[in-house]
Amino acid sequence: MEIRNYINGAFTPPQSKLWIDNYNPSNGVIYGKIPNSNQSDVEAAYQAAAQSFKTWSKTSAEKRSKILLKISDLIEKHSSLFAEAESKDNGKPITLAKTVDIPRAASNFRFFGNAITQFYSESHSNTSAQVINYTLRQPIGVVGCISPWNLPLYLFTWKIAPAIAAGNCVVAKPSEVTPVTAYLLGDICNKAGLPPGVLNIVHGLGSTTGQAIVTHPNIKAISFTGGTATGASIAKTAAPMFKKLSLELGGKNPNIIFADCDYQTMINTTVKSSFANQGQICLCGSRIFVERSIYNKFKTDFIAKVKALKIGLPSDKTSNIGAVVSKTHLIKIQDYIIIAKAEKHTILLGGNKVNVKNNEDGYYFEPTIIEVNSNDCRINQEEIFGPVVSIMPFDTDEEALNMANDVKYGLSATVWTNNLKRSMYFSEHLQAGIIWINTWMTRDLRTPFGGVKASGVGREGGFEALRFFTEQKNICIKY
Ligand code: NDP
């Protein structure tokens, strides 16, 4: 499969003439090639976007909305095609792609297609001074959207949909590891009547294509989701150019379990919050803290439930765990098992690569549970972003809260308790942008989404995303 850039509504080979191999994680075989676009490719995408901006920014919100809703319908219509492509490209189980990734990509377009018709700005009247102030929210111009490989189309559309809904034109880059569904989206946009140049997709490495987007002098805003180190490097480049930045970065989220919780719901959800998508979700609860009185019971039950998960081909409907995304990522996960052993933790379950029959070169890894001897260790402080969780007991609320907060990240946190006072206390004091009480990853697209500390800057979701993708201008009239 040869993937091409999508510029000005057409599929074009890269001017760089450079290509990158695309691997199938389920068997380690190269099954396609994608452009490694350079500055000229990004410039062509920018020019198309800048040209389109002249009309798209003046197109009514109703018309923009209609096109976004049409894109959403078409993703739904072709959901099997998208789900199969996503599962093959990323290694995630087909069931997950079908029930989460692709429906959510369609929802992103539907949500922002509707939201833009309800978006509003402020007006402040002062009748005694005979003055009225009102605020315009104008699209920024050409914006850059850069997304990661873990939830490829889901996170790509999470940025693109609000950007174009708000009247901007976009130069976007999906992760080079998972480019296929973004490529398929181009055709859907054409079919839905999105004018050429409103969305431009350039493929390639972060260090070349991504960097060319970030350094482009006229791409005025960057919405980025990815690792914390990459986010820091983007911020360093973009800040002196006075670009607007939204950074959704890494996490090392605590999952705090009290004895007074609804045990069955907690344990079933904890299996998901630990290992869904092979643990490659920024919101996964990778540090599990359990109240000591139920620690041994939890340990036994959790191990039994995780043991029952089926590791297998992503295309097999019965697989619970597919392949991790790439060989590099598999090696990173294996390195953390070596670190865990060196730190003298106990590996309660897993810790090894899995050979799936006839696919021995695939990137499969056992769901792994590590009993750590302290929160102050690399296993608990560094983001592994794979099917690896740590567990440890705690004795008091204060101890649990301190360990939960004692990490450089602050994306999300989950607390399991039926004690209202305790849940309110933890909600107030946990250092994270998103808190779940007695649930995990229950999303409402109207809510603000983002992290604190090294997990990011800014919020996306709902009107927050539309605010990010618009510039405010205040007008004061004396009458
Ligand atoms: P990376 O930071 O490696 O990459 C993210 C994207 O940025 C990719 O498209 C990448 O391209 C690109 N990129 C890399 N270097 C640069 C650069 N210098 N300039 C511009 N773009 C660049 O993250 P991963 O793809 O490995 O994704 C995993 C990370 O994403 C984890 O840390 C995870 O926690 C985080 N994440 C955060 C979420 C959140 O909402 N907070 C949600 C999901 C994931 P390429 O792939 O070609 O290198």
Side-chain angles (χ1 to χ4, degrees):
M1 179 182 211
E2 181 180 298
I3 282 176
R4 295 183 166 204
N5 289 334
Y6 173 68
I7 297 176
N8 211 20
F11 293 94
T12 49
Q15 295 182 28
S16 69
K17 298 196 168 52
L18 297 172
W19 298 86
I20 308 165
D21 292 331
N22 191 22
Y23 288 81
N24 179 342
S26 76
N27 55 19
V29 172
I30 295 170
Y31 79 107
K33 58 178 189 168
I34 73 158
N36 188 11
S37 308
N38 65 11
Q39 219 157 357
S40 313
D41 296 300
V42 169
E43 184 58 32
Y46 167 76
Q47 289 300 339
Q51 190 59 30
S52 271
F53 182 71
K54 293 175 193 162
T55 43
W56 184 246
S57 57
K58 295 192 174 57
T59 303
S60 70
E62 284 72 19
K63 186 149 183 221
R64 280 185 258 138
S65 166
K66 267 192 183 153
I67 294 174
L68 266 80
L69 297 181
K70 182 92 189 154
I71 296 174
S72 174
D73 289 345
L74 286 173
I75 294 175
E76 269 172 4
K77 188 172 164 198
H78 298 285
S79 63
S80 294
L81 170 80
F82 274 100
E84 279 155 25
E86 199 73 293
S87 169
K88 184 172 179 181
D89 209 24
N90 171 280
K92 67 178 69 212
I94 183 70
T95 316
L96 190 71
K98 274 198 169 140
T99 55
V100 177
D101 291 75
I102 307 308
R104 175 56 193 276
S107 298
N108 288 340
F109 277 105
R110 176 154 302 115
F111 177 84
F112 286 107
N114 287 322
I116 196 60
T117 65
Q118 311 295 319
F119 194 40
Y120 56 88
S121 63
E122 306 79 36
S123 141
H124 307 274
S125 74
N126 182 341
T127 44
S128 61
Q130 293 191 302
V131 163
I132 185 161
N133 279 276
Y134 69 94
T135 310
L136 289 179
R137 284 202 165 265
Q138 298 174 311
I140 297 169
V142 179
V143 300
C145 298
I146 302 177
S147 56
W149 48 256
N150 61 331
L151 301 164
L153 193 66
Y154 174 137
L155 289 174
F156 194 62
T157 54
W158 177 237
K159 299 179 176 306
I160 288 165
I164 64 179
N168 300 282
C169 292
V170 174
V171 177
K173 190 195 93 66
S175 169
E176 130 264 350
V177 190
T178 51
V180 177
T181 46
Y183 172 65
L184 297 175
L185 182 67
D187 193 38
I188 295 286
C189 290
N190 287 347
K191 288 199 172 102
L194 188 73
V198 173
L199 171 64
N200 304 276
I201 304 172
V202 279
H203 296 273
L205 293 173
S207 52
T208 50
T209 319
Q211 187 70 6
I213 295 172
V214 175
T215 53
H216 195 290
N218 296 318
I219 296 180
K220 294 291 184 199
I222 304 286
S223 171
F224 169 81
T225 298
T228 294
T230 317
S233 129
I234 289 175
K236 213 170 170 180
T237 309
M241 300 174 85
F242 307 110
K243 295 189 187 222
K244 222 174 164 185
L245 268 186
S246 171
L247 301 174
E248 301 285 345
L249 310 175
K252 190 76 188 177
N253 311 306
N255 180 6
I256 306 164
I257 299 165
F258 285 97
D260 68 2
C261 72
D262 177 348
Y263 190 82
Q264 276 314 319
T265 311
M266 175 280 292
I267 197 144
N268 291 335
T269 310
T270 293
V271 173
K272 287 191 199 146
S273 67
S274 304
F275 299 113
N277 204 36
Q278 296 71 247
Q280 302 164 136
I281 302 181
C282 54
L283 304 166
C284 277
S286 50
R287 293 181 299 144
I288 305 175
F289 301 109
V290 188
E291 193 169 3
R292 194 177 298 277
S293 60
I294 59 162
Y295 184 72
N296 285 334
K297 174 174 168 50
F298 172 82
K299 196 158 97 174
T300 310
D301 295 347
F302 187 50
I303 291 171
K305 278 193 177 284
V306 176
K307 238 186 201 163
L309 294 174
K310 183 181 164 196
I311 310 167
L313 286 178
S315 56
D316 179 346
K317 278 197 296 233
T318 62
S319 297
N320 304 113
I321 305 273
V324 301
V325 75
S326 67
K327 194 168 185 179
T328 322
H329 198 51
L330 177 69
I331 292 168
K332 176 185 162 184
I333 296 163
Q334 287 172 316
D335 284 348
Y336 271 101
I337 302 303
I338 297 169
I339 292 167
K341 288 177 182 160
E343 288 185 332
K344 305 229 178 313
H345 305 306
T346 309
I347 297 178
L348 298 173
L349 185 73
N352 302 297
K353 181 183 180 304
V354 178
N355 287 330
V356 170
K357 201 167 169 223
N358 298 330
N359 292 276
E360 282 75 13
D361 290 333
Y363 317 133
Y364 301 91
F365 198 82
E366 290 174 315
T368 300
I369 306 170
I370 303 176
E371 185 172 54
V372 289
N373 45 38
S374 119
N375 183 52
D376 182 22
C377 61
R378 288 187 64 190
I379 293 301
N380 262 31
Q381 294 294 320
E382 297 177 16
E383 188 186 39
I384 303 173
F385 210 59
V388 180
V389 288
S390 74
I391 65 170
M392 66 179 288
F394 67 84
D395 291 300
T396 65
D397 288 32
E398 275 321 295
E399 189 191 359
L401 182 66
N402 288 339
M403 289 196 295
N405 286 339
D406 186 14
V407 71
K408 74 172 181 177
Y409 297 104
L411 188 56
S412 71
T414 297
V415 184
W416 292 95
T417 178
N418 277 315
N419 181 326
L420 178 64
K421 206 169 159 184
R422 174 181 275 156
S423 65
M424 299 310 282
Y425 183 79
F426 273 75
S427 305
E428 195 180 328
H429 291 93
L430 279 166
Q431 294 165 359
I434 301 148
I435 312 286
W436 281 298
I437 307 290
N438 298 329
T439 183
W440 174 72
M441 218 174 145
T442 308
R443 293 280 292 122
D444 179 328
L445 302 192
R446 293 170 297 183
T447 59
F449 181 93
V452 298
K453 304 201 283 189
S455 289
V457 180
R459 293 292 181 274
E460 297 184 346
F463 287 161
E464 292 300 325
L466 296 176
R467 288 189 189 107
F468 174 76
F469 283 115
T470 48
E471 200 63 83
Q472 296 184 69
K473 183 190 284 174
N474 193 71
I475 294 125
C476 174
I477 300 177
K478 171 94 179 152
Y479 54 91

